[in-house]
Every structure is written in structure tokens, then in C-alpha cells.
Amino acid sequence: MSRLIATFAALCLAPTLALAQMASAPFEGRLKKIQETKTISVAYRTDALPFSFEDAEKKPSGYMVDLCRSVVGVIERQIGVVPLQVKWVPVTVQSRFTAISGGQADMECGATTVTLGRMKQVGFSSLTFVDGTGLLVRKSTAGNSLMDLANKKIGVIAGTSNERALAEALKAKVVTAIVVPVASREDGLAQLEAGTIDAFASDRVLLAGLASRAKDPKELALLGDPLSYEPYAIVLPRGDWALQQAVDAALAQIYRSSALPDIYNRWFGALGRPSPVLEVMFALGRLPE
């Protein structure tokens, strides 16, 4: 009987001992490097207003930038290095993934959609936002849906999830249009204003931010419903479980705190409360300790 009791006690203690071993285990991967160098490299987009962009002083700004600043603050306490030096690394649509996989940055805080294909190259944190592919047009363009853009020119950045979403939507709705690759959102806006293209496809919130920079924002409009579901996350090194666990734990803590509504309202307060889908996403991200 005493042996049975001892065995049962050992089984009960096993999870506690395992957690204690994990807590005392040395950090691994990028997290170990971050602790040793007391520096974390954060990639950011310069063209993804209001998520990630450069302000008038050429400093990183935006919803995702602020969220990642809070994440870094939590990681500082996790690894016992306060403060961490943050090295900001500007990236583009084309270079954001290689910056992470190549070691130039430890995380990317932009407007990056999680896809199964991208998971073959990089890792992702818990979700940070939910958006959808939309279409920005001149108000003089007739119609208010994708169907009304038949035989017209639609610009989209090549290699993005928006390009794939546009192709799938055109196929599903049996709409023939001329898809025009553009180099960047600024290029897409310039071509739209010049009349070179009739519409520009990108994430809807990004299009709203882009339209605010137009020569005459009142001349532009977003069409109808989104063409796709675009879940955002922080890009991380693929297979680096220690850093991913640290980032996910930080996001869970932020989602449970008053920091989240402060960050959201700073960038999206004018849009009102988060959408029901976004509310659910935040709720699911509030993982317990």
C-alpha cells in the first residue's frame, strides 16, 4: 500500500516537477541570444499605415509597432533583462520573411497574414488582428462590387495573399478583369489616382489608411464586402518554440490587461468598437497562466 501511495504521489508531483524544470531550464534559440546580447531586433514595415509605418520623424509607428513594444516589455521581465535594447529593422513586402529566416530580425511587426504556405518558411505568434482583402476605387468608377469591375484593370502587389484572394474571387464570381502587378501600396495609389488602373486590392484597413494619404481622399472609396479573411500575427523564426512561447505569453498578458484597449483605441478608435470577429480573436488570445 505504501508503495502504491508513493507511486501515486510521484505521478501527482510529475507535472509540477516538469514545470519547475522548464522554469529553470536555460533559454534556447533566439531568446538565448536576446538575453545574452540584451538586444532584440524588430522588423517593421514602412508602408503599412495604420499597422506599421514611419512617422514624420522617421520613427516606427502604428498599431502593430505599439503592440510589439508591449510584447518586448513583457519579454524583458521574462528573461530578466530590463531594459532590452530594441533594434528596429525596416523591411518591405518582399524582404519581411527573409529578414526573419536569415536572422536579421527576431520578429516582424507589420501587417502580415498567416497562411499555411508561409508556415513552411517562418513561424507565427497568436493572432493580432483580423482583416480582409478589399478594393479601393475612384468614386467616379461605376458600380459597388467586384462584378462591376469586369474587363477593368485591378492593381495588386505581386506575391501577397491579396493577389491570391483576388484571383480566387474573380474565379468564383466568373469575372474577367486585367490584373496589374504593382510594386507597393504607394505605387498602387499613384496608379489609381492617375487612372492607370481602375481599382487597387489590398487589406481593407490598409486601404483606408492609404486613402487618407491621397491627393483628394474624398475621391476614393472602398467597395462592398471583403474578398477574403486575413488573420494577422507577429512573424517569428520557424521552429523556435522558446521565442514563440515567450511572445504568445506576452500577447496573452496584454490581451488580459488595459493595454490592449489603449492600443486599439489609439489607432482604430474612430472606427468604433472592434468587430465581433476581432472581439472573439482577442478573447481566444487571453490564454490563462
Side-chain angles (χ1 to χ4, degrees), residues 11-279:
L11 290 172
C12 290
L13 286 172
T16 303
L17 293 173
L19 288 172
Q21 289 173 349
M22 288 175 61
S24 61
F27 295 110
E28 299 179 12
R30 299 281 184 94
L31 203 58
K32 180 180 180 181
K33 184 205 73 172
I34 291 167
Q35 185 185 45
E36 291 175 346
T37 63
K38 299 180 181 180
T39 302
I40 185 167
S41 298
V42 181
Y44 72 100
R45 294 274 296 283
T46 61
D47 63 343
L49 179 77
F51 293 97
S52 175
F53 63 100
E54 288 184 343
D55 62 18
E57 298 179 355
K58 298 297 181 182
K59 294 181 179 179
S61 190
Y63 169 83
M64 283 296 297
V65 171
D66 283 354
L67 189 61
C68 282
R69 283 195 175 103
S70 295
V71 167
V72 170
V74 177
I75 291 178
E76 287 177 338
R77 298 189 291 275
Q78 290 175 349
I79 64 176
V81 178
V82 180
L84 276 173
Q85 179 181 346
V86 179
K87 178 184 176 183
W88 293 99
V89 181
V91 294
T92 64
V93 170
Q94 292 77 20
S95 67
R96 54 185 166 170
F97 299 123
T98 54
I100 300 299
S101 60
Q104 289 80 37
D106 301 307
M107 62 177 71
E108 189 261 355
C109 303
T112 301
T113 301
V114 181
T115 70
L116 294 174
R118 290 171 176 173
M119 286 182 180
K120 297 176 182 178
Q121 182 181 0
V122 294
F124 291 94
S125 70
S126 302
L127 298 185
T128 56
F129 203 82
V130 178
D131 199 4
T133 298
L135 293 164
L136 187 67
V137 299
R138 297 184 302 278
K139 285 187 176 178
S140 58
T141 299
N144 58 6
S145 70
L146 181 63
M147 302 286 289
D148 299 311
L149 294 175
N151 301 315
K152 295 187 180 297
K153 295 179 180 179
I154 304 176
V156 66
I157 300 174
T160 61
S161 57
N162 305 122
E163 182 183 40
R164 183 170 56 254
L166 176 61
E168 291 175 353
L170 289 171
K171 182 178 179 181
K173 296 182 181 295
V174 196
V175 175
T176 300
I178 303 168
V179 177
V180 180
V182 300
S184 64
R185 289 188 178 85
E186 285 73 17
D187 182 29
L189 176 61
Q191 291 199 44
L192 181 62
E193 290 183 305
T196 308
I197 57 177
D198 301 291
F200 177 53
S202 187
D203 293 0
R204 288 174 63 84
V205 175
L206 292 175
L207 289 175
L210 186 67
S212 69
R213 292 185 170 185
K215 296 174 183 177
D216 188 354
K218 295 180 181 179
E219 292 300 314
L220 301 178
L222 277 169
L223 288 191
D225 296 329
L227 305 181
S228 68
Y229 161 66
E230 304 285 341
Y232 291 175
I234 298 170
V235 183
L236 300 168
R238 186 172 184 268
D240 194 327
W241 71 269
L243 181 57
Q244 179 164 352
Q245 186 180 50
V247 172
D248 285 348
L251 285 172
Q253 182 174 327
I254 294 164
Y255 288 174
R256 294 194 302 266
S257 73
S258 61
L260 178 64
D262 288 344
I263 295 171
Y264 178 87
N265 289 330
R266 187 177 306 142
W267 297 104
F268 305 113
L271 301 178
R273 291 181 56 82
S275 68
V277 173
L278 196 56
E279 288 276 21

